[in-house]
Amino acid sequence: SDIENRRLELIDPQHHELELIEYVSPYTIRNYTGYDLQIQRDYDEDDEQTPDQKVYKLENQQSVNFHVESDLNVLVQNRSLSGKSHKIQIRVLHPQSELQIVRKVNLNNVQKKFYPLGASKESSEVGLLCTVIVEENRKILILSSNVKINNNTNQKLKLMVYGKIQPLTLTVEPYSVRSVSYTHL
């Protein structure tokens, strides 16, 4: 399982007993963009900001459990997380281009949303597709290119994608989906 846990030791002031609480992140982020990403919490004006917030580097085809810093404090103080909006910002680490940072991606809303990555003078066709789903009581954010190849056959496909630069050879396993990276669009 890819669930990362954190253990907290709490002492009840009245009973002086040691209590172990296990914290399991409610969010998983999966990267299918074709590039490495930098991900961190994105704050609204009324949110409490954590001075040393963690920046996650998420490699292509990898997943990470995203821990929202305030969640641990809320858990310790026995306050509810319901209704709290957790947003992140995403930077695509493209080797040749400086792409726009995607801001205010909501981890709580089950939805599919497209975020343009190009500068205003560039094409808006290049973008990040953010899909939030629920899987086993966890929110899963799937980040991918907006161009995907679905192989709904029982055969492995080997394809040549021709775009702005050199051709790209893609292998798509049976009954799987493969994103085409931004460079090749």
Side-chain angles (χ1 to χ4, degrees):
S1 172
D2 66 351
I3 297 175
E4 181 181 321
N5 298 327
R6 290 189 187 176
R7 290 185 163 272
L8 298 175
E9 291 184 11
L10 299 177
I11 299 175
D12 182 350
Q14 294 177 339
H15 299 100
H16 302 291
E17 294 174 10
L18 183 65
E19 185 179 342
L20 289 177
I21 295 177
E22 195 166 11
Y23 173 78
V24 179
S25 171
Y27 306 109
T28 297
I29 302 173
R30 297 179 182 158
N31 179 6
Y32 300 116
T33 62
Y35 296 102
D36 293 348
L37 304 173
Q38 277 185 344
I39 299 170
Q40 67 186 60
R41 177 116 184 249
D42 203 356
Y43 293 96
D44 287 326
E45 293 77 33
D46 58 344
D47 285 340
E48 276 184 38
Q49 292 198 20
T50 305
D52 297 322
Q53 70 171 315
K54 184 172 182 176
V55 176
Y56 294 80
K57 182 171 183 190
L58 183 55
E59 295 179 10
N60 184 45
Q61 300 293 321
Q62 298 296 314
S63 295
V64 68
N65 290 299
F66 187 79
H67 293 277
V68 180
E69 294 84 357
S70 65
D71 287 0
L72 291 175
N73 295 330
V74 169
L75 181 66
V76 169
Q77 296 169 7
N78 288 329
R79 290 188 292 154
S80 172
L81 281 173
S82 62
K84 182 76 174 148
S85 174
H86 293 118
K87 295 179 182 149
I88 60 170
Q89 58 180 271
I90 303 162
R91 177 188 302 267
V92 177
L93 302 175
H94 191 284
Q96 286 100 19
S97 301
E98 184 69 29
L99 300 173
Q100 284 180 233
I101 296 173
V102 176
R103 297 186 184 277
K104 308 293 184 203
V105 176
N106 193 325
L107 295 173
N108 291 342
N109 294 345
V110 176
Q111 65 180 347
K112 185 181 283 191
K113 191 168 180 181
F114 176 78
Y115 295 88
L117 287 173
S120 57
K121 61 185 172 189
E122 294 180 19
S123 170
S124 62
E125 294 173 6
V126 175
L128 183 65
L129 188 61
C130 300
T131 307
V132 178
I133 61 172
V134 177
E135 197 173 273
E136 297 179 16
N137 294 324
R138 296 171 53 84
K139 297 285 177 81
I140 312 292
L141 173 61
I142 301 168
L143 304 169
S144 63
S145 164
N146 55 318
V147 176
K148 297 179 185 178
I149 298 172
N150 293 308
N151 180 1
N152 293 324
T153 72
N154 62 359
Q155 302 291 314
K156 183 188 293 189
L157 298 178
K158 194 167 195 167
L159 306 166
M160 295 291 290
V161 178
Y162 294 92
K164 297 177 184 172
I165 59 170
Q166 64 188 16
L168 170 70
T169 303
L170 285 178
T171 302
V172 187
E173 296 297 324
Y175 304 106
S176 66
V177 178
R178 182 83 189 261
S179 293
V180 180
S181 65
Y182 310 111
T183 304
H184 296 88
L185 301 178

